[in-house]
Amino acid sequence: MDLLNLIGGRWVEGEGEEFADTNPARPAEVVAHGRFASAREVERAVAAAREAAPGWAATPHHARAAVLLGAADIVDREADTWGAELAREEGKTLPEAVAEVRGAARILRYYAGEADRENGEIYASPRPGENVLVVRKPVGVIGMITPFNFPIAIPAWKIGPALSYGNTVVWKPSSLVPLLAYRLAQALTDSGLPAGVLNLVYGEAEAGSAIVDHAGVNAVSFTGSTAVGRAVIARCGELGKPVQTEMGGKNASIVLADADLEHAAEQVCLGAFRSTGQKCTATSRLILASQVADELLERVVARASALVVGDPLEAGVEMGPLVSSAARDRVSAGIVRAVEEGAKQLAGDGFRDRDGWFAPPTVLDLPGTGVDFWHTELFGPVVGAVRADGTEEALGLANLSDHGLSAALFTRDLGVALQAVQRLEVGVLHVNSESAGTFPYVPFGGTKQSGFGPKEQGRAAREFFTQTMTVYLGTPRERA
Ligand code: NAP
């Protein structure tokens, strides 16, 4: 399949380098190909977004919402086909991929619903005949840079609110998953999105930087690794540009002595191994009450070892490959290093001698928190455990990280759960469920090195995608 860039309402072959989108389960298989946008085309995309901005902002919110609703219907209708494409280019299993596509449709519908919700405030004034309004207006042109691991859901939860609130967009998806980006843009244009409102440019770091740097881009929404996110924050700081970044995680699951161990083991494995551990909210650190640590680890190891790893399109496969050879090498090196630093490998017997970027579900018993594994995000199906004496120590260990995205806590004690709400330094906490998973109608995002700027999803999204104007609305004197 040929992939085209979308610039000013026209689908165009890029002027840049050729790229091939390959299947991580069968690296010789090309899923799609195309050409990156040139620097000149990024310029054109920004110019088109600027030109379209006043008209789109002036379009009634319900008319903007109608485009999102139409796109949601298309996404839903195509979910099985696009889900299979997603599994082929990214590597998550078919059921997960189809669920992600359907999730994107739900997100678009939620943001279409914003047209029906309150969108501002009104205050009294001490001056006779005056009211004070707080109105929300679009920000203008939003630069968007998205990661590989949710090729359609993350773009939907940025593009949905951006468009609903009346902004225009220049979007650079991850170069690893260009096909699903094309599909989302296609759904929106087929549903009647006016020319220039959404511009899709394929490219790598250079195109991302060009968008961030461009004076015509009013604000930047980024999701990806902490290293790149921090560079984006720094550059936007220099330019005085609003920026929102959702970044990496090193998420802990804490299992206390009173937990339902079978349930905890099941949820820990879902958190650690679904999507091959390539979720920002995946469980990678396990903190176990010492009384139950051995038993819990035994259950986790049994489940991890039984997982069916293979081609994500095959029925019954529970875990696909990592996204790329670079990812496989990084995960492999991380495991070797952990073992060199004293970790015991309880599951994950080396890397399979097979085609594709596969990694086995791996469980490590760590010698303590001094190892690199504890602090560095590997972004793969690897979980490392330590033991804790008591709740307070367990919560302290969870906080022993520069990251603060999500955590899971397994306990039957409501008092302890509330203690964790107070103590844990994370943006998302799951009590008695896996560390990953979000609902589109509530805020999502991290603290510490995991997130910067306003949160995403739910109504929180409007903090970034709108700007307020405070209006002192007085009555002319003769009518007061
Ligand atoms: P990444 O390597 O940081 O890339 C993210 C995006 O930034 C891609 O589109 C990438 O382009 C682009 N990029 C790379 N260098 C850039 C630069 N110098 N300037 C501007 N853009 C640049 O992340 P990834 O590997 O795709 O995704 C995995 C990471 O994202 C993990 O750390 C994960 O935890 C994090 N993540 C966080 C969340 C969250 O909500 N907190 C959600 C999902 C993922 P290329 O694709 O061409 O490199």
Side-chain angles (χ1 to χ4, degrees):
M1 157 136 196
D2 275 333
L3 298 178
L4 301 173
N5 295 262
L6 176 64
I7 299 175
R10 289 182 49 236
W11 291 100
V12 293
E13 197 173 302
E15 298 168 340
E17 244 176 82
E18 273 184 51
F19 66 82
D21 178 16
T22 55
N23 179 346
R26 303 168 192 280
E29 181 187 308
V30 175
V31 178
H33 44 77
R35 297 186 91 99
F36 291 140
S38 64
R40 209 165 55 153
E41 286 173 315
V42 173
E43 280 287 337
R44 263 191 236 140
V46 176
R50 291 212 75 75
E51 201 184 319
W56 184 244
T59 301
H61 203 155
H62 284 88
R64 298 195 300 254
V67 175
L68 295 183
L69 287 174
D73 288 346
I74 296 170
V75 171
D76 254 341
R77 200 177 61 222
E78 301 292 342
D80 289 340
T81 312
W82 294 1
E85 290 176 347
L86 196 165
R88 276 178 77 209
E89 76 171 349
E90 197 269 352
K92 67 182 65 171
T93 63
L94 185 59
E96 283 184 89
V98 173
E100 182 185 333
V101 177
R102 290 200 188 285
R106 264 200 307 282
I107 291 163
L108 295 176
R109 284 200 185 93
Y110 175 84
Y111 285 108
E114 279 294 84
D116 294 342
R117 300 184 190 113
E118 64 77 22
N119 201 15
E121 293 154 25
I122 181 161
Y123 291 84
S125 164
R127 294 195 283 249
E130 184 180 73
N131 283 296
V132 185
L133 314 183
V134 180
V135 297
R136 286 186 178 270
K137 308 195 335 176
V139 175
V141 175
I142 312 285
M144 282 183 190
I145 301 171
T146 52
F148 77 83
N149 63 327
F150 283 94
I152 190 165
I154 288 179
W157 81 52
K158 291 185 191 293
I159 291 169
L163 298 187
S164 182
Y165 299 127
N167 302 281
T168 60
V169 171
V170 179
W171 170 32
K172 190 208 87 63
S174 162
S175 53
L176 293 170
V177 289
L179 176 51
L180 265 286
Y182 181 83
R183 293 305 190 199
L184 180 58
Q186 187 188 16
L188 286 158
T189 53
D190 286 356
S191 154
L193 193 71
V197 173
L198 171 67
N199 301 274
L200 166 66
V201 289
Y202 293 122
E204 296 178 313
E206 208 179 320
S209 303
I211 292 171
V212 172
D213 286 353
H214 202 294
V217 170
N218 298 100
V220 174
S221 180
F222 167 91
T223 298
S225 62
T226 296
V228 176
R230 286 179 64 163
V232 170
I233 295 166
R235 185 66 183 134
C236 287
E238 274 174 48
L239 297 169
K241 205 175 268 197
V243 61
Q244 160 189 70
T245 64
E246 285 304 335
M247 302 178 281
K250 191 76 199 181
N251 312 297
S253 283
I254 305 163
V255 183
L256 297 180
D258 68 335
D260 172 340
L261 294 189
E262 191 49 27
H263 174 70
E266 175 205 64
Q267 294 294 309
V268 163
C269 288
L270 290 176
F273 305 128
R274 260 213 287 223
S275 292
T276 322
Q278 296 176 121
K279 286 185 185 178
C280 53
T281 47
T283 297
S284 60
R285 296 182 294 144
L286 257 185
I287 298 162
L288 307 175
S290 23
Q291 306 94 304
V292 294
D294 289 341
E295 190 182 339
L296 195 281
L297 273 177
E298 225 170 86
R299 291 176 196 244
V300 167
V301 167
R303 284 176 177 274
S305 311
L307 278 174
V308 181
V309 181
D311 188 321
L313 290 172
E314 274 173 26
V317 165
E318 294 167 295
M319 201 181 93
L322 290 160
V323 72
S324 64
S325 59
R328 202 265 310 262
D329 293 348
R330 183 189 62 238
V331 170
S332 160
I335 296 169
V336 168
R337 173 147 191 206
V339 170
E340 280 167 6
E341 288 185 321
K344 229 190 284 166
Q345 191 167 340
L346 305 178
D349 50 355
F351 283 76
R352 291 159 197 235
D353 186 18
R354 61 200 288 184
D355 201 22
W357 315 127
F358 289 95
T362 301
V363 182
L364 302 171
D365 196 351
L366 301 176
T369 59
V371 290
D372 187 60
F373 178 86
W374 188 260
H375 303 279
T376 305
E377 183 188 46
L378 282 189
F379 218 53
V382 191
V383 67
V386 298
R387 288 153 174 78
D389 288 323
T391 303
E392 203 38 48
E393 190 185 5
L395 298 178
L397 286 171
N399 286 341
L400 189 62
S401 172
D402 290 339
H403 295 291
L405 186 48
S406 75
L409 171 72
F410 295 88
T411 179
R412 289 184 164 100
D413 187 330
L414 182 58
V416 167
L418 292 173
Q419 188 184 345
V421 171
Q422 293 297 322
R423 285 274 279 113
L424 288 177
E425 298 160 355
V426 288
V428 179
L429 171 62
H430 288 262
V431 179
N432 294 315
S433 60
E434 58 152 315
S435 62
T438 65
F439 296 149
Y441 49 86
V442 285
F444 173 75
T447 57
K448 292 158 75 172
Q449 298 283 307
S450 295
F452 184 89
K455 294 271 163 73
E456 301 198 279
Q457 303 211 49
R459 302 222 81 202
R462 68 183 181 161
E463 296 311 319
F464 185 73
F465 290 112
T466 66
Q467 51 191 337
T468 60
M469 177 192 271
T470 306
V471 182
Y472 294 85
L473 188 66
T475 313
R477 211 171 267 274
E478 64 273 17
R479 299 213 188 132

